């Protein structure tokens, strides 16, 4: 009898497993369990291969990074940098759209609160689409994060959505307009909100049970008496109170980037608030000057991000050599950050180092950085890293690996236009 029962159990085990798999992939079940399974998988990988111990060292800079960093930090001591003021560029060829010089800025009220945003709790890894959906809902848009995600991250393994991708969704899929700028400050956030424009920002986030990561927030209110912003947080809660100082500190992690959405007939109002920052070139130069100042004012992880921000702005200004130098110094500082504070996920969100190294002919550094990023991640799911590794492999003469990388980038995100165009070009050129 026991033997017969054992045979029945063994024979029925595959059927039980098949049923379990079928139930797991039912949409209502999968939506509740998929992120838990993914989180467990991540925890196992991290226990076997701690990502915070993975350190990238630029191959072409190993012998001189320490000397460069030491000399630069001596030149930019907190005492001297604190008295310096950012050097802003002269007039651009096309004068930036701004208020007239004699116009007195409208005083900012001590508090404001914009109502009408439909709060959404995000799906797994869906911070960007959820916040974009919330910001759009203020202007009467009727979709939700499923609609934004279909455009922004059509592949379920996409780890991040870039601010520029969110701007593209607004411009291509709605009747509204959007604008992304860097180097923002608290006064500008309050001025936009007071004028009736919610603002989406990307900032660093340190959850109590995880390491540093990026997180979007939609700000729709502020109160000077309490020193708080009101944020629609897709991860925590609606109307989340957020201290001014915490916003400023963790906003630095993403170069003080912000996205503002507005109807076309209110564009003049947005541009007037931004003033000269409405011009992209002026804005990136301003943000770069601010980053230079912060490299001398900050220490530890904040100083690392200041150097990283400098690289990001220099890439935007097409100063690739200067950007590469800034990134080199950021990566040189990284090992000095305590392991439990290291932002090892930063290359999920930032791709500036790839552009800087690629455009200065440092193709092997591009490949090494992508490989280091994949190794820390524990999986191969970053389409931007695949794109740049593919382009670098092509430059190094490895066409077959380049084709593999570009195909993988398109597979991960079919809407990734740059990767698709590069893949089509390389396939057409292949013998």
């Amino acid at each position: 009898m026991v033997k017969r029962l054992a045979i029945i159990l063994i024979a029925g085990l595959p059927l039980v497993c098949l049923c379990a798999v079928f139930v797991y992939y039912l949409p209502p079940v999968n939506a509740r369990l998929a992120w838990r399974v993914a989180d467990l998988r991540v925890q196992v990988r991290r226990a076997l291969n701690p990502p915070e111990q993975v350190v990238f060292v630029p191959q072409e800079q190993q012998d001189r990074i320490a000397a460069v960093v030491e000399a630069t930090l001596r030149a930019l001591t907190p005492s001297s940098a604190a008295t310096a003021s950012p050097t802003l560029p002269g007039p651009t060829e096309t004068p930036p759209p701004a208020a007239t010089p004699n116009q007195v800025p409208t005083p900012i009220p001590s508090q404001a609160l914009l109502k009408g945003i439909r709060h959404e709790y995000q799906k797994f890894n869906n911070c960007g689409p959820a916040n974009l959906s919330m910001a759009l809902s203020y202007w009467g848009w009727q979709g939700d994060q499923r609609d934004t995600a279909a455009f922004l991250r059509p592949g379920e393994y996409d780890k991040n959505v870039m601010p520029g991708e969110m701007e593209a969704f607004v411009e291509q899929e709605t009747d509204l307009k959007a604008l992304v700028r860097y180097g923002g400050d608290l006064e500008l956030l309050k001025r936009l909100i007071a004028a009736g424009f919610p603002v989406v920002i990307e900032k660093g986030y340190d959850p109590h049970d995880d390491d540093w990561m990026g997180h979007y927030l939609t700000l729709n209110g502020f109160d000077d008496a309490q020193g708080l912003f009101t944020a629609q947080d897709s991860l925590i809660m609606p109307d989340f109170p957020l201290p001014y100082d915490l916003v400023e500190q963790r906003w630095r992690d993403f170069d003080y980037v912000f996205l503002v959405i507005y109807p076309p007939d209110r564009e003049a109002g947005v541009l007037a608030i931004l003033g000269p920052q409405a011009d992209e070139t002026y804005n990136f130069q301003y943000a770069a000057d601010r980053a230079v100042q912060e490299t001398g004012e900050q220490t530890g992880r904040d100083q690392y991000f200041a150097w990283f921000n400098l690289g990001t702005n220099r890439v935007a200004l097409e100063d690739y050599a200067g950007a590469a130098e800034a990134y080199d110094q950021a990566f040189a500082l990284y090992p000095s950050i305590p392991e439990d504070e290291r932002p090892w996920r930063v290359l999920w969100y930032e791709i500036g180092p790839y552009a800087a190294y690629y455009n200065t002919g440092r193709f092997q550094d591009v490949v090494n950085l992508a490989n280091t990023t994949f190794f820390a991640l524990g999986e191969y799911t970053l389409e931007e890293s695949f794109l740049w590794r593919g382009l670098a492999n092509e430059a190094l003469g490895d066409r077959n690996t380049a084709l593999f990388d570009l195909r993988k980038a398109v597979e991960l995100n079919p809407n990734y236009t740059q990767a698709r165009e590069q893949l089509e070009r390389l396939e057409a050129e292949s013998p």
Side-chain angles (χ1 to χ4, degrees):
M1 180 67 181
V2 174
K3 183 177 180 180
R4 182 179 179 185
L5 181 60
I7 293 173
I8 293 174
L9 289 175
I10 293 172
L13 186 59
L15 180 61
V16 172
C17 293
L18 184 62
C19 290
V21 171
F22 175 78
V23 171
Y24 173 76
Y25 280 101
L26 291 174
V29 177
N30 188 260
R32 290 173 172 80
L33 294 182
W35 71 270
R36 298 182 185 275
V37 173
D39 184 63
L40 178 61
R41 189 168 61 244
V42 168
Q43 296 304 323
V44 171
R45 282 200 307 265
R46 289 177 59 181
L48 298 174
N49 176 42
E52 63 274 9
Q53 296 179 7
V54 180
V55 176
F56 168 69
V57 179
Q59 177 174 301
E60 298 186 20
Q61 303 296 318
Q62 293 184 34
D63 296 333
R64 70 179 182 88
I65 286 178
V68 172
V69 172
E70 183 180 356
T72 304
L73 294 183
R74 282 201 306 267
L76 290 172
T77 59
S79 59
S80 62
T83 59
S85 58
T87 301
L88 301 180
T92 58
E93 292 184 4
T94 302
T100 59
N102 295 326
Q103 182 175 342
V104 177
T106 303
I108 305 174
S110 61
Q111 62 177 357
L113 181 64
L114 304 178
K115 298 183 178 181
I117 296 178
R118 183 181 63 252
H119 180 267
E120 291 185 57
Y121 284 106
Q122 68 186 69
K123 305 294 184 181
F124 183 60
N125 270 347
N126 223 40
C127 171
N131 275 274
L132 180 58
S133 173
M134 288 192 290
L136 287 168
S137 74
Y138 176 79
W139 300 106
W141 188 72
Q142 296 300 308
D144 60 27
Q145 64 184 291
R146 292 171 296 182
D147 302 293
T148 49
F151 179 95
L152 297 171
R153 48 184 305 263
E156 63 175 311
Y157 296 108
D158 193 347
K159 297 294 183 184
N160 178 57
V161 170
M162 305 290 182
E165 294 176 305
M166 299 167 73
E167 181 182 25
F169 177 90
V170 176
E171 296 285 349
Q172 297 175 31
E173 302 294 323
T174 77
D175 295 329
L176 299 165
K177 300 195 71 173
L179 184 146
V180 172
R181 290 292 182 268
Y182 293 79
D185 56 43
L186 301 189
E187 179 179 301
L188 180 57
L189 292 178
K190 290 190 284 186
R191 195 174 293 281
L192 285 165
I193 293 169
F197 302 100
V199 187
V200 178
I201 66 170
E202 188 172 20
K203 59 180 278 294
Y205 175 55
D206 291 284
H208 66 86
D209 58 348
D210 206 343
D211 295 330
W212 177 96
M213 62 183 66
H215 187 50
Y216 284 105
L217 291 171
T218 302
L219 304 181
N220 65 303
F222 64 89
D223 186 335
D224 286 343
Q226 300 184 67
L228 297 172
F229 281 106
T230 298
Q232 301 307 311
D233 193 318
S234 62
L235 190 62
I236 300 177
M237 60 181 285
D239 300 325
F240 183 60
L242 204 60
Y244 288 170
D245 58 349
L246 182 61
V247 171
E248 189 163 35
Q249 180 188 18
R250 293 277 63 91
W251 195 17
R252 177 185 296 111
D253 299 0
F254 285 90
D255 199 16
Y256 307 100
V257 65
F258 62 95
L259 166 77
V260 58
I261 300 170
Y262 52 90
D265 61 0
R266 296 193 62 182
E267 183 171 53
V270 173
L271 298 182
I273 293 171
L274 294 177
Q277 304 295 339
D279 179 74
E280 277 192 293
T281 301
Y282 186 102
N283 174 248
F284 280 120
Q285 185 61 61
Y286 176 87
D289 291 334
R290 181 177 181 179
V292 168
Q293 183 168 325
E294 290 192 343
T295 59
E297 294 175 339
Q298 303 301 323
T299 60
R301 192 172 72 178
D302 289 338
Q303 187 180 52
Y304 163 84
F305 279 120
W307 281 113
F308 217 96
N309 293 342
L310 180 57
T312 298
N313 294 308
R314 285 178 172 173
V315 165
L317 294 167
E318 299 184 0
D319 175 12
Y320 298 114
E325 181 181 351
Y327 288 128
D328 284 345
Q329 298 198 49
F331 289 128
L333 286 168
Y334 185 83
S336 67
I337 302 173
E339 285 191 5
D340 61 349
E341 297 180 13
R342 290 180 182 173
W344 59 268
R345 291 185 173 98
V346 72
L347 266 295
W348 293 19
Y349 312 100
E350 302 281 0
I351 59 175
Y354 293 130
Y357 293 151
Y358 180 86
N359 284 287
T360 50
R362 294 170 54 178
F363 307 122
Q364 192 58 53
D365 274 335
V366 174
V367 173
N368 292 347
L369 179 57
N371 289 341
T372 302
T373 302
F374 288 137
F375 186 69
L377 174 61
E379 59 185 56
Y380 292 81
T381 55
L382 298 172
E383 68 267 29
E384 295 88 0
S385 292
F386 273 114
L387 166 68
W388 285 103
R389 193 178 76 169
L391 294 176
N393 275 317
E394 179 191 6
L396 291 169
D398 190 349
R399 185 181 293 270
N400 288 336
T401 303
L403 284 167
F404 171 86
D405 287 342
L406 294 174
R407 286 167 181 159
K408 188 66 176 177
V410 174
E411 175 188 328
L412 288 167
N413 187 349
N415 293 340
Y416 196 5
T417 303
Q418 186 180 3
R420 188 174 64 252
E421 290 175 349
Q422 292 295 334
L423 175 59
E424 291 172 352
R425 173 191 59 78
L426 190 57
E427 287 179 332
E429 294 174 1
S430 298

